[in-house]
Amino acid sequence: MADYDERNHERSCCPIACALDHLGDKWTLLIIRDLLLGKKRYQEFLESPEQIATNILANRLKKLEAAGLLTQQVYQKKPIRYEYVLTAKGEDLRMVLQTLAEWGRTYYPGTKVFTAHV
Amino acid sequence: MADYDERNHERSCCPIACALDHLGDKWTLLIIRDLLLGKKRYQEFLESPEQIATNILANRLKKLEAAGLLTQQVYQKKPIRYEYVLTAKGEDLRMVLQTLAEWGRTYYPGTKVFTAHV
DNA sequence: TAAAGTGACTTGCATTATACAAGCATATGC
DNA sequence: GCATATGCTTGTATAATGCAAGTCACTTTA
């Protein structure tokens, strides 16, 4: 499984660098956003307007679980299917995403925050 | 210059997605961090503990300028040399970085926020 | 005055990640 | 049975990243 390895990256002892080791790409935080908005299932993530590719989604879900940001929960056996739910660590990114969304709204006019459908 | 192009990415009208189009990688936010801490010059960025490669640094500085997050300012002619300073748009990421640093400090114990040396 | 730095990059190349399309396994509905 | 759906995996092409080395225009030191 060369596609997903779990080393300790830790480029430095800076909390921002550590955070970016796990979150620093174009897709990971969008999945967290979806989870914070109440999405739970593979298909729901695929339906987001950014159109993530299936292999990247599968890869990020694994990495997020390995990083302790979410857990899988079985919602059906035969065939086994999972829902993805945020851990406290993942939930605590809500403020980060809110602040980032605020910045984005300010500097990219025309963008709109999606609201939770819960 | 295939290494640095300036299209409008805009994967969606989500402010988070727009923000990540510009900031979503392992290095960009670390450069912003350094700028917020008062660093201004190429060599200073290279000295950060994460050890960014020179080609990536040069590339990111160009992209950040193209994205309107920083500007170059000449501090010496012969040979011409620049300092990099944040625009208001860049400065306004301070809250984002602070929130992210806070999260990182919480979940990656042992990390320490660098403080401005200004 | 020649040699050795220094700062700010650029270039080349190998490795890794991303994107896109297609395929597969295990179901359910008809 | 056969078509359809969900949740992935695989293959392959393109792009990004990482590392080492080189360049260019000066400045400093011997």
Side-chain angles (χ1 to χ4, degrees), chain A residues 11-16 22 24-27 33 50 69 88-89 92-93 97 99 101 103 107-108 111-112, chain B residues 11-16 22 24-27 33 50 69 88-89 92-93 97 99 101 103 107-108 111-112:
Chain A
R11 287 179 285 175
S12 76
C13 64
C14 170
I16 298 173
H22 298 287
D25 68 80
K26 271 169 53 184
W27 293 109
R33 173 203 66 184
E50 294 85 10
L69 291 163
K89 182 176 177 183
D92 280 358
L93 283 170
L97 272 282
T99 317
W103 181 85
Y107 289 102
Y108 300 100
T111 57
K112 274 177 215 158
Chain B
R11 286 179 286 176
S12 77
C13 64
C14 171
I16 297 172
H22 298 287
D25 68 79
K26 271 168 55 184
W27 294 109
R33 173 202 65 186
E50 293 85 11
L69 291 163
K89 183 176 176 183
D92 280 359
L93 283 169
L97 272 282
T99 317
W103 182 86
Y107 289 102
Y108 299 100
T111 56
K112 275 178 215 157

Side-chain angles (χ1 to χ4, degrees), chain A residues 7-8 11 13 15 18 20 26 42 47 52-53 65 68 73 75 84 91 100 102-104 114-115 117-118:
Chain A
R7 274 166 300 189
N8 263 10
R11 287 179 285 175
C13 64
C18 275
L20 291 176
K26 271 169 53 184
Y42 200 84
E47 282 157 12
I52 190 171
E65 201 193 3
Q73 294 190 353
Y75 71 87
Y84 300 93
E91 267 288 337
L100 186 63
E102 183 59 28
W103 181 85
F114 306 146
T115 44
H117 48 63
V118 212

